[in-house]
Amino acid sequence: MANQLTKKLDRFFLAFLMINPFLDVISGVYIKVLETVTEQSFDAISTPMTPSLVIRMAVLLLFGLSALISFDKKAIGAALPVGLAWVMSVIGEAIFFYSFNLYTDVQYIARFCYNLAVILVYMAVFRRMGISKQELCRKLCDVLCFSLLLLSSTIVISYIFGMGYTTYADRYGYRGTRGFFYSGNDITAILMAGLPVIMCAFMQLSSPSRKRYASYALSGSLTAICLMLIGTKTAFIAVIGASAVMICCALWRFSKGDRAPFRRLLVLLAVSLFIFALMALFSSESVFAEIRTSFMSTGNTMEKEGAATALLSGRQTKLKDALKSFLEGGVYTYLFGVGRGTRSAIIEMDLFEVVIYYGAFGALCMLWLYLKLGLGYVINFFKNLGQLQNDLMPIACLLSLGLCAGYLIIAGHILFSVTSGFYFSYMLIFGQVLYCEKPEQLTIF
């Protein structure tokens, strides 16, 4: 009975990989409609909730059910200390700050647990699939290709029809576009994580069908274009970094007599230029002028307001305020943090949020798995440099994880986001798959 239920849950979790990006699109449209009807911003609405968050919290319960049914002691053992860290932070709120926002506290830790559960559960699901490593890698790339294609298409379509949100609406005016995605940081993190991998996957496609070839070409091109349309500093860094590294890889392969990767990069460039031409033809805005304005704005901000503001977009002010409360709290807050519920606004810098909200104990319980997988991947990468002669994907995955790691430090919206956090967890799993001998040996501990 237990085995049958586990198989059914595994099939659902695999199907959910394809459902997942639709949730973000639906949620973005829902927020836009809700704001239009209520005539107020989503943040101003009391206890805001989106359809995607409700569904993902239900999936989180299924993740827990799956771990209990299969009695995955190690997965359960990794999750329990996180719950304890959260309880201790909430107790500290009540004792030392005399008030707390339980709804905010629960929602925030639930998001973190969801992303953690993605790693623990999907690692087990992939281990039980019974397919080869090559087939699993292909399927993981196909899921990423589909997800990026869907998400980036919505941004381009929104731009053409002049709908959705602008990335920035500040003292310097309106610039950049993020479609119907309410959080620009969330969608940027997804596209950033996927771009190097999808470019590399297209460069190395072996005897693809026309449909698969076209899907990967469109996915890679649209993802790069959307990052430029979003127009944030990190978005441009992702495009420039991914393109530079993949060009170097293609030239290296070219020098070895393999011209296919370089030809594929030229295809991506040609497709991107074609899409830009269509956007310029059908859009009322000058797409190149808008991208140039976004690109130049960082330099203007740095010149007028300093490097810290240009890099952190004012987050340093919220960090100083939260850090002051943390340092004034004494030994208890050093150990268990000030809690999320004591803060009216998030810092938007994940690493600092973990330490300040949940203390040293919380940081240890919540970050060790990410550090283990991330640093483990780096070690495996340098141990297996010879593998790069036949497969460039480890370089792309390393770049993806590096970009995400840097982003969660300076901009946040990964560890505590069910949107982008899912794909960061996904890439950590993908990194494990690249260096396992076969999926049956896929393990964390």
Side-chain angles (χ1 to χ4, degrees), residues 93 97 108 314-330 333-334 336-359:
E93 290 179 44
F97 295 94
Y108 219 60
R315 296 184 187 92
Q316 71 273 20
T317 302
K318 291 186 286 186
L319 175 60
K320 287 179 182 177
D321 180 59
L323 187 59
K324 181 182 177 183
S325 297
F326 177 78
L327 295 175
E328 290 176 349
T333 56
Y334 298 161
F336 305 112
V338 301
R340 169 66 183 93
T342 63
R343 315 309 302 168
S344 59
I346 59 174
I347 304 169
E348 294 185 82
M349 301 170 76
D350 284 346
L351 185 62
F352 295 101
E353 288 187 5
V354 171
V355 175
I356 291 173
Y357 296 162
Y358 304 103

mmCIF file of all heavy atoms in Angstrom, residues 93 97 108 314-330 333-334 336-359:
data_model
loop_
_atom_site.group_PDB
_atom_site.id
_atom_site.type_symbol
_atom_site.label_atom_id
_atom_site.label_comp_id
_atom_site.label_asym_id
_atom_site.label_seq_id
_atom_site.Cartn_x
_atom_site.Cartn_y
_atom_site.Cartn_z
ATOM 1 N N GLU A 93 10.454 36.494 19.935
ATOM 2 C CA GLU A 93 9.612 37.650 19.600
ATOM 3 C C GLU A 93 8.650 37.964 20.736
ATOM 4 O O GLU A 93 8.470 39.129 21.125
ATOM 5 C CB GLU A 93 8.819 37.361 18.322
ATOM 6 C CG GLU A 93 9.640 37.306 17.047
ATOM 7 C CD GLU A 93 8.773 36.989 15.840
ATOM 8 O OE1 GLU A 93 7.685 37.579 15.737
ATOM 9 O OE2 GLU A 93 9.170 36.149 15.018
ATOM 10 N N PHE A 97 10.235 41.102 22.379
ATOM 11 C CA PHE A 97 9.645 42.189 21.595
ATOM 12 C C PHE A 97 8.159 42.383 21.914
ATOM 13 O O PHE A 97 7.528 43.291 21.398
ATOM 14 C CB PHE A 97 9.837 41.927 20.095
ATOM 15 C CG PHE A 97 11.277 41.936 19.681
ATOM 16 C CD1 PHE A 97 12.008 40.751 19.628
ATOM 17 C CD2 PHE A 97 11.919 43.123 19.355
ATOM 18 C CE1 PHE A 97 13.351 40.746 19.247
ATOM 19 C CE2 PHE A 97 13.246 43.126 18.975
ATOM 20 C CZ PHE A 97 13.973 41.947 18.926
ATOM 21 N N TYR A 108 6.665 32.897 6.045
ATOM 22 C CA TYR A 108 8.070 33.037 5.652
ATOM 23 C C TYR A 108 8.835 31.730 5.821
ATOM 24 O O TYR A 108 9.576 31.319 4.924
ATOM 25 C CB TYR A 108 8.718 34.149 6.485
ATOM 26 C CG TYR A 108 9.684 34.998 5.681
ATOM 27 C CD1 TYR A 108 9.235 35.708 4.574
ATOM 28 C CD2 TYR A 108 11.031 35.085 6.016
ATOM 29 C CE1 TYR A 108 10.113 36.484 3.833
ATOM 30 C CE2 TYR A 108 11.906 35.851 5.288
ATOM 31 C CZ TYR A 108 11.437 36.558 4.195
ATOM 32 O OH TYR A 108 12.304 37.322 3.441
ATOM 33 N N GLY A 314 19.401 50.521 -2.083
ATOM 34 C CA GLY A 314 18.870 51.011 -0.820
ATOM 35 C C GLY A 314 18.653 49.950 0.235
ATOM 36 O O GLY A 314 18.192 50.250 1.351
ATOM 37 N N ARG A 315 18.963 48.681 -0.060
ATOM 38 C CA ARG A 315 18.755 47.619 0.933
ATOM 39 C C ARG A 315 19.648 47.785 2.148
ATOM 40 O O ARG A 315 19.350 47.257 3.223
ATOM 41 C CB ARG A 315 19.010 46.243 0.294
ATOM 42 C CG ARG A 315 18.040 45.891 -0.814
ATOM 43 C CD ARG A 315 18.287 44.480 -1.330
ATOM 44 N NE ARG A 315 17.461 44.214 -2.502
ATOM 45 C CZ ARG A 315 17.862 44.424 -3.747
ATOM 46 N NH1 ARG A 315 19.081 44.884 -3.980
ATOM 47 N NH2 ARG A 315 17.071 44.171 -4.758
ATOM 48 N N GLN A 316 20.767 48.489 1.978
ATOM 49 C CA GLN A 316 21.675 48.665 3.109
ATOM 50 C C GLN A 316 21.018 49.411 4.259
ATOM 51 O O GLN A 316 21.357 49.195 5.432
ATOM 52 C CB GLN A 316 22.953 49.393 2.657
ATOM 53 C CG GLN A 316 22.799 50.859 2.309
ATOM 54 C CD GLN A 316 22.390 51.075 0.864
ATOM 55 O OE1 GLN A 316 21.877 50.169 0.210
ATOM 56 N NE2 GLN A 316 22.634 52.270 0.348
ATOM 57 N N THR A 317 20.043 50.263 3.965
ATOM 58 C CA THR A 317 19.332 50.990 5.020
ATOM 59 C C THR A 317 18.493 50.033 5.855
ATOM 60 O O THR A 317 18.502 50.078 7.090
ATOM 61 C CB THR A 317 18.435 52.083 4.411
ATOM 62 O OG1 THR A 317 19.234 52.977 3.631
ATOM 63 C CG2 THR A 317 17.731 52.869 5.507
ATOM 64 N N LYS A 318 17.753 49.141 5.181
ATOM 65 C CA LYS A 318 16.941 48.159 5.901
ATOM 66 C C LYS A 318 17.826 47.170 6.658
ATOM 67 O O LYS A 318 17.460 46.718 7.755
ATOM 68 C CB LYS A 318 16.022 47.428 4.921
ATOM 69 C CG LYS A 318 14.930 48.296 4.337
ATOM 70 C CD LYS A 318 13.961 47.510 3.478
ATOM 71 C CE LYS A 318 14.560 47.126 2.150
ATOM 72 N NZ LYS A 318 13.556 46.489 1.259
ATOM 73 N N LEU A 319 18.975 46.855 6.080
ATOM 74 C CA LEU A 319 19.910 45.944 6.750
ATOM 75 C C LEU A 319 20.445 46.565 8.040
ATOM 76 O O LEU A 319 20.513 45.895 9.074
ATOM 77 C CB LEU A 319 21.064 45.601 5.806
ATOM 78 C CG LEU A 319 22.196 44.751 6.395
ATOM 79 C CD1 LEU A 319 21.663 43.414 6.878
ATOM 80 C CD2 LEU A 319 23.309 44.551 5.368
ATOM 81 N N LYS A 320 20.813 47.844 7.990
ATOM 82 C CA LYS A 320 21.334 48.525 9.182
ATOM 83 C C LYS A 320 20.288 48.557 10.292
ATOM 84 O O LYS A 320 20.599 48.332 11.462
ATOM 85 C CB LYS A 320 21.765 49.945 8.819
ATOM 86 C CG LYS A 320 23.050 50.025 8.006
ATOM 87 C CD LYS A 320 23.384 51.468 7.670
ATOM 88 C CE LYS A 320 24.639 51.563 6.803
ATOM 89 N NZ LYS A 320 24.932 52.966 6.416
ATOM 90 N N ASP A 321 19.045 48.816 9.928
ATOM 91 C CA ASP A 321 17.968 48.889 10.909
ATOM 92 C C ASP A 321 17.734 47.533 11.567
ATOM 93 O O ASP A 321 17.600 47.426 12.795
ATOM 94 C CB ASP A 321 16.686 49.377 10.229
ATOM 95 C CG ASP A 321 15.519 49.472 11.203
ATOM 96 O OD1 ASP A 321 15.640 50.211 12.185
ATOM 97 O OD2 ASP A 321 14.496 48.795 10.968
ATOM 98 N N ALA A 322 17.691 46.472 10.757
ATOM 99 C CA ALA A 322 17.471 45.125 11.299
ATOM 100 C C ALA A 322 18.676 44.664 12.124
ATOM 101 O O ALA A 322 18.518 44.026 13.173
ATOM 102 C CB ALA A 322 17.202 44.146 10.163
ATOM 103 N N LEU A 323 19.863 44.996 11.648
ATOM 104 C CA LEU A 323 21.079 44.594 12.358
ATOM 105 C C LEU A 323 21.167 45.272 13.723
ATOM 106 O O LEU A 323 21.635 44.663 14.701
ATOM 107 C CB LEU A 323 22.308 44.946 11.521
ATOM 108 C CG LEU A 323 23.664 44.453 12.044
ATOM 109 C CD1 LEU A 323 23.675 42.937 12.165
ATOM 110 C CD2 LEU A 323 24.794 44.915 11.124
ATOM 111 N N LYS A 324 20.680 46.503 13.803
ATOM 112 C CA LYS A 324 20.671 47.219 15.084
ATOM 113 C C LYS A 324 19.813 46.483 16.100
ATOM 114 O O LYS A 324 20.225 46.284 17.253
ATOM 115 C CB LYS A 324 20.149 48.644 14.875
ATOM 116 C CG LYS A 324 20.133 49.472 16.150
ATOM 117 C CD LYS A 324 19.568 50.863 15.883
ATOM 118 C CE LYS A 324 19.491 51.674 17.183
ATOM 119 N NZ LYS A 324 18.878 53.010 16.959
ATOM 120 N N SER A 325 18.616 46.056 15.693
ATOM 121 C CA SER A 325 17.743 45.293 16.593
ATOM 122 C C SER A 325 18.385 43.977 16.994
ATOM 123 O O SER A 325 18.281 43.540 18.151
ATOM 124 C CB SER A 325 16.392 45.029 15.923
ATOM 125 O OG SER A 325 15.704 46.225 15.663
ATOM 126 N N PHE A 326 19.056 43.340 16.052
ATOM 127 C CA PHE A 326 19.724 42.057 16.310
ATOM 128 C C PHE A 326 20.827 42.223 17.351
ATOM 129 O O PHE A 326 20.915 41.443 18.307
ATOM 130 C CB PHE A 326 20.296 41.510 15.000
ATOM 131 C CG PHE A 326 21.060 40.230 15.145
ATOM 132 C CD1 PHE A 326 20.394 39.024 15.291
ATOM 133 C CD2 PHE A 326 22.448 40.226 15.125
ATOM 134 C CE1 PHE A 326 21.103 37.830 15.420
ATOM 135 C CE2 PHE A 326 23.160 39.048 15.252
ATOM 136 C CZ PHE A 326 22.489 37.845 15.398
ATOM 137 N N LEU A 327 21.659 43.236 17.197
ATOM 138 C CA LEU A 327 22.785 43.445 18.103
ATOM 139 C C LEU A 327 22.343 43.908 19.480
ATOM 140 O O LEU A 327 22.991 43.615 20.485
ATOM 141 C CB LEU A 327 23.764 44.455 17.494
ATOM 142 C CG LEU A 327 24.468 44.015 16.203
ATOM 143 C CD1 LEU A 327 25.315 45.147 15.637
ATOM 144 C CD2 LEU A 327 25.325 42.782 16.452
ATOM 145 N N GLU A 328 21.232 44.628 19.538
ATOM 146 C CA GLU A 328 20.732 45.127 20.829
ATOM 147 C C GLU A 328 19.956 44.064 21.601
ATOM 148 O O GLU A 328 19.664 44.243 22.786
ATOM 149 C CB GLU A 328 19.833 46.345 20.612
ATOM 150 C CG GLU A 328 20.584 47.585 20.142
ATOM 151 C CD GLU A 328 19.644 48.745 19.838
ATOM 152 O OE1 GLU A 328 18.407 48.510 19.797
ATOM 153 O OE2 GLU A 328 20.130 49.867 19.627
ATOM 154 N N GLY A 329 19.655 42.952 20.965
ATOM 155 C CA GLY A 329 18.812 41.939 21.590
ATOM 156 C C GLY A 329 19.503 41.069 22.608
ATOM 157 O O GLY A 329 18.857 40.422 23.418
ATOM 158 N N GLY A 330 20.819 40.997 22.536
ATOM 159 C CA GLY A 330 21.550 40.185 23.496
ATOM 160 C C GLY A 330 21.768 38.753 23.054
ATOM 161 O O GLY A 330 21.587 38.409 21.882
ATOM 162 N N THR A 333 18.953 36.700 21.001
ATOM 163 C CA THR A 333 18.801 37.034 19.583
ATOM 164 C C THR A 333 20.030 36.616 18.789
ATOM 165 O O THR A 333 19.913 36.299 17.605
ATOM 166 C CB THR A 333 18.544 38.543 19.383
ATOM 167 O OG1 THR A 333 19.592 39.292 19.988
ATOM 168 C CG2 THR A 333 17.220 38.944 19.986
ATOM 169 N N TYR A 334 21.204 36.621 19.422
ATOM 170 C CA TYR A 334 22.389 36.135 18.714
ATOM 171 C C TYR A 334 22.204 34.669 18.336
ATOM 172 O O TYR A 334 22.597 34.230 17.250
ATOM 173 C CB TYR A 334 23.651 36.257 19.574
ATOM 174 C CG TYR A 334 24.024 37.667 19.963
ATOM 175 C CD1 TYR A 334 24.876 37.905 21.024
ATOM 176 C CD2 TYR A 334 23.520 38.764 19.268
ATOM 177 C CE1 TYR A 334 25.227 39.200 21.396
ATOM 178 C CE2 TYR A 334 23.862 40.062 19.631
ATOM 179 C CZ TYR A 334 24.708 40.277 20.698
ATOM 180 O OH TYR A 334 25.050 41.536 21.062
ATOM 181 N N PHE A 336 19.045 32.898 18.366
ATOM 182 C CA PHE A 336 17.799 32.547 17.693
ATOM 183 C C PHE A 336 17.167 33.673 16.887
ATOM 184 O O PHE A 336 16.086 33.493 16.316
ATOM 185 C CB PHE A 336 16.799 32.033 18.736
ATOM 186 C CG PHE A 336 17.327 30.885 19.546
ATOM 187 C CD1 PHE A 336 17.595 31.046 20.897
ATOM 188 C CD2 PHE A 336 17.583 29.654 18.969
ATOM 189 C CE1 PHE A 336 18.099 29.993 21.659
ATOM 190 C CE2 PHE A 336 18.080 28.596 19.711
ATOM 191 C CZ PHE A 336 18.347 28.763 21.064
ATOM 192 N N GLY A 337 17.804 34.825 16.810
ATOM 193 C CA GLY A 337 17.354 35.897 15.943
ATOM 194 C C GLY A 337 16.220 36.735 16.500
ATOM 195 O O GLY A 337 15.677 36.453 17.571
ATOM 196 N N VAL A 338 15.866 37.757 15.736
ATOM 197 C CA VAL A 338 14.791 38.664 16.143
ATOM 198 C C VAL A 338 13.436 38.217 15.606
ATOM 199 O O VAL A 338 12.408 38.754 15.987
ATOM 200 C CB VAL A 338 15.073 40.110 15.669
ATOM 201 C CG1 VAL A 338 16.378 40.633 16.234
ATOM 202 C CG2 VAL A 338 15.074 40.206 14.138
ATOM 203 N N GLY A 339 13.442 37.234 14.698
ATOM 204 C CA GLY A 339 12.190 36.755 14.118
ATOM 205 C C GLY A 339 11.719 37.602 12.948
ATOM 206 O O GLY A 339 11.953 38.809 12.907
ATOM 207 N N ARG A 340 11.072 36.974 12.010
ATOM 208 C CA ARG A 340 10.556 37.712 10.840
ATOM 209 C C ARG A 340 9.387 38.616 11.237
ATOM 210 O O ARG A 340 9.223 39.716 10.697
ATOM 211 C CB ARG A 340 10.115 36.708 9.757
ATOM 212 C CG ARG A 340 9.315 37.309 8.613
ATOM 213 C CD ARG A 340 10.131 38.264 7.771
ATOM 214 N NE ARG A 340 9.313 38.869 6.724
ATOM 215 C CZ ARG A 340 8.674 40.032 6.854
ATOM 216 N NH1 ARG A 340 8.742 40.716 7.984
ATOM 217 N NH2 ARG A 340 7.958 40.508 5.850
ATOM 218 N N GLY A 341 8.586 38.186 12.198
ATOM 219 C CA GLY A 341 7.381 38.916 12.556
ATOM 220 C C GLY A 341 7.620 40.261 13.201
ATOM 221 O O GLY A 341 6.696 41.066 13.311
ATOM 222 N N THR A 342 8.849 40.532 13.655
ATOM 223 C CA THR A 342 9.140 41.828 14.269
ATOM 224 C C THR A 342 9.471 42.896 13.241
ATOM 225 O O THR A 342 9.563 44.075 13.579
ATOM 226 C CB THR A 342 10.337 41.724 15.239
ATOM 227 O OG1 THR A 342 11.514 41.356 14.499
ATOM 228 C CG2 THR A 342 10.070 40.685 16.319
ATOM 229 N N ARG A 343 9.669 42.495 11.998
ATOM 230 C CA ARG A 343 10.090 43.441 10.962
ATOM 231 C C ARG A 343 8.908 43.769 10.053
ATOM 232 O O ARG A 343 8.219 42.882 9.553
ATOM 233 C CB ARG A 343 11.229 42.874 10.098
ATOM 234 C CG ARG A 343 12.350 42.185 10.846
ATOM 235 C CD ARG A 343 12.900 43.017 11.981
ATOM 236 N NE ARG A 343 13.410 44.306 11.520
ATOM 237 C CZ ARG A 343 13.728 45.302 12.340
ATOM 238 N NH1 ARG A 343 13.557 45.159 13.636
ATOM 239 N NH2 ARG A 343 14.189 46.427 11.830
ATOM 240 N N SER A 344 8.690 45.057 9.837
ATOM 241 C CA SER A 344 7.586 45.475 8.962
ATOM 242 C C SER A 344 7.923 45.258 7.498
ATOM 243 O O SER A 344 7.043 45.066 6.667
ATOM 244 C CB SER A 344 7.256 46.952 9.205
ATOM 245 O OG SER A 344 8.398 47.763 8.951
ATOM 246 N N ALA A 345 9.212 45.292 7.171
ATOM 247 C CA ALA A 345 9.643 45.085 5.781
ATOM 248 C C ALA A 345 10.839 44.145 5.771
ATOM 249 O O ALA A 345 11.687 44.180 6.674
ATOM 250 C CB ALA A 345 10.011 46.416 5.132
ATOM 251 N N ILE A 346 10.914 43.296 4.772
ATOM 252 C CA ILE A 346 12.030 42.363 4.677
ATOM 253 C C ILE A 346 13.286 43.089 4.217
ATOM 254 O O ILE A 346 13.223 44.134 3.576
ATOM 255 C CB ILE A 346 11.723 41.194 3.713
ATOM 256 C CG1 ILE A 346 11.406 41.718 2.298
ATOM 257 C CG2 ILE A 346 10.597 40.346 4.244
ATOM 258 C CD1 ILE A 346 11.238 40.623 1.284
ATOM 259 N N ILE A 347 14.451 42.509 4.548
ATOM 260 C CA ILE A 347 15.726 43.109 4.165
ATOM 261 C C ILE A 347 15.983 42.905 2.677
ATOM 262 O O ILE A 347 16.616 43.727 2.022
ATOM 263 C CB ILE A 347 16.881 42.489 4.982
ATOM 264 C CG1 ILE A 347 16.603 42.645 6.478
ATOM 265 C CG2 ILE A 347 18.219 43.126 4.634
ATOM 266 C CD1 ILE A 347 17.534 41.842 7.363
ATOM 267 N N GLU A 348 15.489 41.813 2.130
ATOM 268 C CA GLU A 348 15.705 41.415 0.734
ATOM 269 C C GLU A 348 17.149 41.019 0.457
ATOM 270 O O GLU A 348 17.663 41.205 -0.635
ATOM 271 C CB GLU A 348 15.286 42.522 -0.243
ATOM 272 C CG GLU A 348 13.808 42.818 -0.244
ATOM 273 C CD GLU A 348 13.431 43.831 -1.313
ATOM 274 O OE1 GLU A 348 13.265 43.404 -2.475
ATOM 275 O OE2 GLU A 348 13.341 45.023 -0.992
ATOM 276 N N MET A 349 17.806 40.461 1.467
ATOM 277 C CA MET A 349 19.153 39.908 1.315
ATOM 278 C C MET A 349 19.155 38.597 2.097
ATOM 279 O O MET A 349 19.288 38.589 3.316
ATOM 280 C CB MET A 349 20.207 40.895 1.833
ATOM 281 C CG MET A 349 20.180 42.242 1.125
ATOM 282 S SD MET A 349 21.220 43.510 1.911
ATOM 283 C CE MET A 349 22.853 42.961 1.388
ATOM 284 N N ASP A 350 18.978 37.493 1.396
ATOM 285 C CA ASP A 350 18.661 36.212 2.027
ATOM 286 C C ASP A 350 19.625 35.785 3.126
ATOM 287 O O ASP A 350 19.208 35.344 4.194
ATOM 288 C CB ASP A 350 18.609 35.110 0.962
ATOM 289 C CG ASP A 350 17.341 35.164 0.136
ATOM 290 O OD1 ASP A 350 16.403 35.870 0.550
ATOM 291 O OD2 ASP A 350 17.286 34.508 -0.910
ATOM 292 N N LEU A 351 20.917 35.853 2.858
ATOM 293 C CA LEU A 351 21.897 35.379 3.830
ATOM 294 C C LEU A 351 21.779 36.160 5.135
ATOM 295 O O LEU A 351 21.789 35.580 6.227
ATOM 296 C CB LEU A 351 23.305 35.510 3.262
ATOM 297 C CG LEU A 351 24.434 34.935 4.117
ATOM 298 C CD1 LEU A 351 24.251 33.437 4.311
ATOM 299 C CD2 LEU A 351 25.799 35.224 3.488
ATOM 300 N N PHE A 352 21.643 37.469 5.043
ATOM 301 C CA PHE A 352 21.510 38.300 6.239
ATOM 302 C C PHE A 352 20.165 38.072 6.920
ATOM 303 O O PHE A 352 20.065 38.144 8.151
ATOM 304 C CB PHE A 352 21.681 39.774 5.868
ATOM 305 C CG PHE A 352 23.058 40.114 5.371
ATOM 306 C CD1 PHE A 352 23.308 40.263 4.017
ATOM 307 C CD2 PHE A 352 24.104 40.249 6.261
ATOM 308 C CE1 PHE A 352 24.578 40.558 3.558
ATOM 309 C CE2 PHE A 352 25.394 40.549 5.817
ATOM 310 C CZ PHE A 352 25.627 40.700 4.458
ATOM 311 N N GLU A 353 19.133 37.789 6.138
ATOM 312 C CA GLU A 353 17.829 37.513 6.726
ATOM 313 C C GLU A 353 17.862 36.256 7.589
ATOM 314 O O GLU A 353 17.292 36.228 8.679
ATOM 315 C CB GLU A 353 16.774 37.379 5.626
ATOM 316 C CG GLU A 353 16.409 38.699 4.968
ATOM 317 C CD GLU A 353 15.243 38.565 4.014
ATOM 318 O OE1 GLU A 353 14.672 37.464 3.935
ATOM 319 O OE2 GLU A 353 14.900 39.563 3.370
ATOM 320 N N VAL A 354 18.523 35.225 7.106
ATOM 321 C CA VAL A 354 18.611 33.982 7.875
ATOM 322 C C VAL A 354 19.287 34.243 9.220
ATOM 323 O O VAL A 354 18.800 33.820 10.272
ATOM 324 C CB VAL A 354 19.388 32.905 7.086
ATOM 325 C CG1 VAL A 354 19.675 31.695 7.974
ATOM 326 C CG2 VAL A 354 18.608 32.460 5.865
ATOM 327 N N VAL A 355 20.414 34.946 9.187
ATOM 328 C CA VAL A 355 21.172 35.199 10.418
ATOM 329 C C VAL A 355 20.399 36.112 11.365
ATOM 330 O O VAL A 355 20.294 35.844 12.567
ATOM 331 C CB VAL A 355 22.547 35.807 10.091
ATOM 332 C CG1 VAL A 355 23.278 36.194 11.377
ATOM 333 C CG2 VAL A 355 23.392 34.831 9.281
ATOM 334 N N ILE A 356 19.834 37.199 10.844
ATOM 335 C CA ILE A 356 19.171 38.186 11.700
ATOM 336 C C ILE A 356 17.813 37.684 12.193
ATOM 337 O O ILE A 356 17.466 37.862 13.358
ATOM 338 C CB ILE A 356 19.022 39.525 10.954
ATOM 339 C CG1 ILE A 356 20.403 40.159 10.757
ATOM 340 C CG2 ILE A 356 18.117 40.488 11.719
ATOM 341 C CD1 ILE A 356 20.406 41.405 9.895
ATOM 342 N N TYR A 357 17.053 37.042 11.349
ATOM 343 C CA TYR A 357 15.734 36.565 11.761
ATOM 344 C C TYR A 357 15.800 35.318 12.628
ATOM 345 O O TYR A 357 14.957 35.126 13.518
ATOM 346 C CB TYR A 357 14.861 36.258 10.539
ATOM 347 C CG TYR A 357 14.531 37.441 9.665
ATOM 348 C CD1 TYR A 357 14.074 37.257 8.359
ATOM 349 C CD2 TYR A 357 14.670 38.758 10.116
ATOM 350 C CE1 TYR A 357 13.759 38.334 7.542
ATOM 351 C CE2 TYR A 357 14.370 39.841 9.303
ATOM 352 C CZ TYR A 357 13.918 39.621 8.014
ATOM 353 O OH TYR A 357 13.617 40.679 7.194
ATOM 354 N N TYR A 358 16.786 34.421 12.374
ATOM 355 C CA TYR A 358 16.796 33.125 13.049
ATOM 356 C C TYR A 358 18.086 32.853 13.831
ATOM 357 O O TYR A 358 18.211 31.789 14.428
ATOM 358 C CB TYR A 358 16.555 32.014 12.021
ATOM 359 C CG TYR A 358 15.275 32.232 11.249
ATOM 360 C CD1 TYR A 358 15.301 32.723 9.947
ATOM 361 C CD2 TYR A 358 14.040 32.003 11.837
ATOM 362 C CE1 TYR A 358 14.131 32.966 9.245
ATOM 363 C CE2 TYR A 358 12.861 32.240 11.149
ATOM 364 C CZ TYR A 358 12.915 32.725 9.845
ATOM 365 O OH TYR A 358 11.744 32.964 9.163
ATOM 366 N N GLY A 359 19.012 33.797 13.853
ATOM 367 C CA GLY A 359 20.199 33.696 14.686
ATOM 368 C C GLY A 359 21.211 32.671 14.216
ATOM 369 O O GLY A 359 21.086 32.055 13.151
#
